[in-house]
Amino acid sequence: MELIQNGKKVIYVSQDNYYLADPIEQDTIYYCDSATSCIVIIAEGYSEKYGKEVALISHLSRPGRFNMFFSIVKETFGGGKVKIFASGANPPEPCPTQGGGYDTTALRNATQVIGWLASNEINLDQVSLKLGQGNPAVYDNDIDCYSISFDKSNNMTVSNRRIYLTLEQRDPTLGVQTLFCIYGDENSIRDQKADFTVNEIVNLVVLARRAGLHEAVDMSDEQILDKYSSTPDFEVPWFCDSIRQAAKFTLDYPN
């Protein structure tokens, strides 16, 4: 299903996936959204591995997945100069949890990214951080979305302009991507260009069933937010529908 925005093809990069973008693809927007406590990171520069200018974009959620992306950035660019752009880690303050404590996932993620940038693991040419900007549940804030595109001179534009997508456009797998976010290897991110194998899908469905995800088919929004979100008061509007979509996939998948 091809999506066109302002005359350009849109490639949606899902949570805990990454995409290697080539500046010569000037008819394309590489787009992420739904980043609440997560962070979208863009890295651009001359790649010693590929022998040309490239860009990486990823939407990251957990420490091990951040670390894998950091390794991919280092492998891609080597000692070349890299521009880094990052947006997310919202809300900026700890979130009250149902158990009476506070969730600090956004702060943890922001701290990890800042620590990586300060570690001198990559040769930084430019850094732009938009962390802890506010409440992503306020749709017009546009702080959960980030994208890149290129002009005819291969200059990169970074934008938080929202692109309106359906649930199926965000996840053509109809729920498998969400299963990976929740139940996949916490130290692994996926190449957005790769398809899920049958074995991967079966393993994710087994884990989801063991965890009782299929019960979310009949849950209210409030119940889903309480159980599956680290930031229940700050989620994007389609979060609950995404969980239900994955729950239905789990319920309907052949034994």
Side-chain angles (χ1 to χ4, degrees):
M1 175 187 312
E2 189 167 282
L3 177 66
I4 303 296
Q5 180 85 9
N6 297 326
K8 292 191 174 186
K9 179 175 69 174
V10 176
I11 292 178
Y12 182 75
V13 184
S14 305
Q15 180 177 322
D16 296 317
N17 285 236
Y18 71 92
Y19 197 98
L20 178 69
D22 192 325
I24 66 171
E25 298 174 6
Q26 294 147 12
D27 61 342
T28 306
I29 300 171
Y30 306 90
Y31 176 73
C32 297
D33 65 12
S34 312
T36 49
S37 58
C38 299
I39 298 177
V40 179
I41 303 180
I42 296 159
E44 189 270 339
Y46 180 81
S47 168
E48 295 184 349
K49 178 178 181 179
Y50 296 103
K52 60 181 179 180
E53 294 278 332
V54 298
L56 288 164
I57 179 170
S58 187
H59 172 171
L60 300 159
S61 67
R62 304 184 188 187
R65 291 172 171 175
F66 277 94
N67 286 334
M68 182 174 177
F69 181 72
F70 299 160
S71 296
I72 292 170
V73 171
K74 187 174 182 179
E75 178 188 355
T76 300
F77 298 101
K81 289 188 176 181
V82 186
K83 295 181 175 66
I84 297 291
F85 303 82
S87 178
N90 290 299
E93 66 279 342
C95 301
T97 64
Q98 196 175 29
Y102 289 89
D103 182 271
T104 57
T105 303
L107 180 60
R108 179 202 70 195
N109 291 343
T111 300
Q112 186 173 4
V113 169
I114 293 169
W116 169 58
L117 294 173
S119 69
N120 296 320
E121 285 187 17
I122 55 174
N123 186 6
L124 294 173
D125 183 38
Q126 176 184 339
V127 174
S128 177
L129 303 180
K130 297 172 58 179
L131 307 177
Q133 298 289 299
N135 185 353
V138 179
Y139 202 46
D140 292 341
N141 280 351
D142 289 352
I143 58 174
D144 66 283
C145 44
Y146 223 29
S147 69
I148 54 174
S149 59
F150 300 91
D151 64 19
K152 293 181 180 179
S153 299
N154 293 349
N155 296 312
M156 183 174 69
T157 296
V158 180
S159 173
N160 69 334
R161 181 176 180 180
R162 183 171 303 285
I163 296 175
Y164 295 90
L165 305 174
T166 66
L167 204 58
E168 187 174 353
Q169 287 168 334
R170 280 197 182 84
D171 185 6
T173 68
L174 304 180
V176 181
Q177 171 58 43
T178 300
L179 295 182
F180 171 74
C181 290
I182 302 174
Y183 304 109
D185 183 351
E186 294 188 2
N187 297 309
S188 177
I189 58 176
R190 302 184 74 257
D191 185 341
Q192 183 72 39
K193 300 173 186 176
D195 294 326
F196 286 97
T197 66
V198 172
N199 284 341
E200 285 175 327
I201 294 171
V202 169
N203 289 337
L204 289 170
V205 168
V206 168
L207 291 170
R209 285 176 176 167
R210 286 177 184 169
L213 178 70
H214 51 284
E215 297 172 1
V217 168
D218 298 316
M219 285 183 180
S220 66
D221 284 2
E222 182 178 9
Q223 289 171 321
I224 289 175
L225 288 167
D226 284 342
K227 186 166 184 177
Y228 293 102
S229 173
S230 61
T231 54
D233 294 328
F234 303 92
E235 283 295 350
V236 291
W238 52 88
F239 176 86
C240 294
D241 287 337
S242 296
I243 295 294
R244 288 193 191 93
Q245 182 187 51
K248 187 176 188 307
F249 185 94
T250 302
L251 188 65
D252 294 344
Y253 194 79
N255 292 326

